[in-house]
Amino acid sequence: MRHKNSFELFDYWTEKRGKRAAPSRTDIEPADIRTLLPHVFICDLNDDGQLNFRLAGTALCALHGRELKGTAFAALWLADGTRNAGRTGASVASAATPAVLSLDCLSNGGRVAQAEMLLLPITGPSGRNDRLIGMLSIFEPPYWIGHEPIVGFSTTAIRFLDQDRDPLFLANRPEIKLPNAPNFASGFTNNRRQVGHLVVLDGGRRD
């Protein structure tokens, strides 16, 4: 973890967890994390193994320019990353293993911002591991955040966390780089051009 908000939510989750694998949803008091709430979301796992947004903070919805409640968690990713994102989120919820994702966030104007997503397991009313609480934190938010909706995430790395270790030493679970993740920062920024009111991203075959 690198973002201070991630450390704050992780510390709160750890306190509420106690000696359990995960805290209950009812243990989470919104007033306790009021400064983080705009960036926080809760997802639940349905019978088909798909994560869906149960709640989504105002900042997260504004970032995408739409209400996220009821939508699929994996739908926030670009097409080539949806399957991996869905599996990662489902694994956090069902196996009670926290994770941190490093993300590239692509806007509809072809711009890119870097972010960190923390995923933490929680239990529902049944006591089963079928939910997670998460948070998205943008690093050094650029001026266009909130004006150009994010059209998709690309996961550049994943780190699974050992919840029994102090957060300062969470590097004991090394970050797993994803070699096939597109490099938006150098690609889309250089290869975009304006055509009328649209931004065209050059790509595809050259032969």
Side-chain angles (χ1 to χ4, degrees):
M1 289 188 295
R2 294 183 292 148
H3 202 285
K4 63 180 181 64
N5 288 351
S6 297
F7 281 101
E8 187 174 341
L9 184 60
F10 184 86
D11 284 345
Y12 179 74
W13 175 87
T14 300
E15 177 188 344
K16 294 298 181 180
R17 177 176 71 92
K19 297 189 179 300
R20 296 170 293 175
S24 168
R25 166 65 184 88
T26 57
D27 293 327
I28 308 299
E29 293 290 344
D32 295 340
I33 52 173
R34 62 175 65 86
T35 60
L36 304 177
L37 283 181
H39 312 280
V40 169
F41 57 89
I42 291 178
C43 294
D44 54 15
L45 197 62
N46 64 21
D47 293 337
D48 295 326
Q50 177 175 283
L51 273 177
N52 297 299
F53 283 97
R54 191 178 186 88
L55 297 170
T58 54
L60 187 61
C61 292
L63 189 66
H64 291 82
R66 58 192 173 96
E67 174 60 56
L68 296 177
K69 182 179 180 180
T71 62
F73 171 77
L76 298 192
W77 272 256
L78 298 173
D80 58 356
T82 56
R83 186 177 183 183
N84 186 61
R87 285 180 171 179
T88 300
S91 177
V92 170
S94 61
T97 303
V100 177
L101 281 59
S102 296
L103 304 174
D104 278 346
C105 310
L106 178 67
S107 79
N108 67 354
R111 295 181 173 88
V112 179
Q114 278 70 52
E116 179 173 271
M117 180 178 284
L118 176 64
L119 303 175
L120 302 167
I122 56 176
T123 60
S126 66
R128 300 187 325 177
N129 296 328
D130 58 4
R131 297 188 184 188
L132 64 78
I133 183 170
M135 182 173 59
L136 181 73
S137 302
I138 304 288
F139 291 108
E140 300 178 1
Y143 72 92
W144 51 266
I145 285 290
H147 300 283
E148 290 185 13
I150 297 299
V151 296
F153 295 145
S154 175
T155 304
T156 59
I158 300 173
R159 173 175 288 156
F160 291 97
L161 307 180
D162 183 346
Q163 57 265 51
D164 294 323
R165 296 290 296 271
D166 189 292
L168 291 176
F169 300 98
L170 286 176
N172 70 314
R173 291 289 183 91
E175 191 174 62
I176 302 170
K177 299 293 184 182
L178 301 185
N180 296 325
N183 186 351
F184 293 142
S186 61
F188 284 125
T189 302
N190 295 334
N191 296 332
R192 64 190 185 93
R193 53 193 171 88
Q194 193 79 30
V195 179
H197 67 287
L198 301 175
V199 174
V200 178
L201 304 178
D202 293 329
R205 297 180 60 174
R206 301 291 183 179
D207 56 346

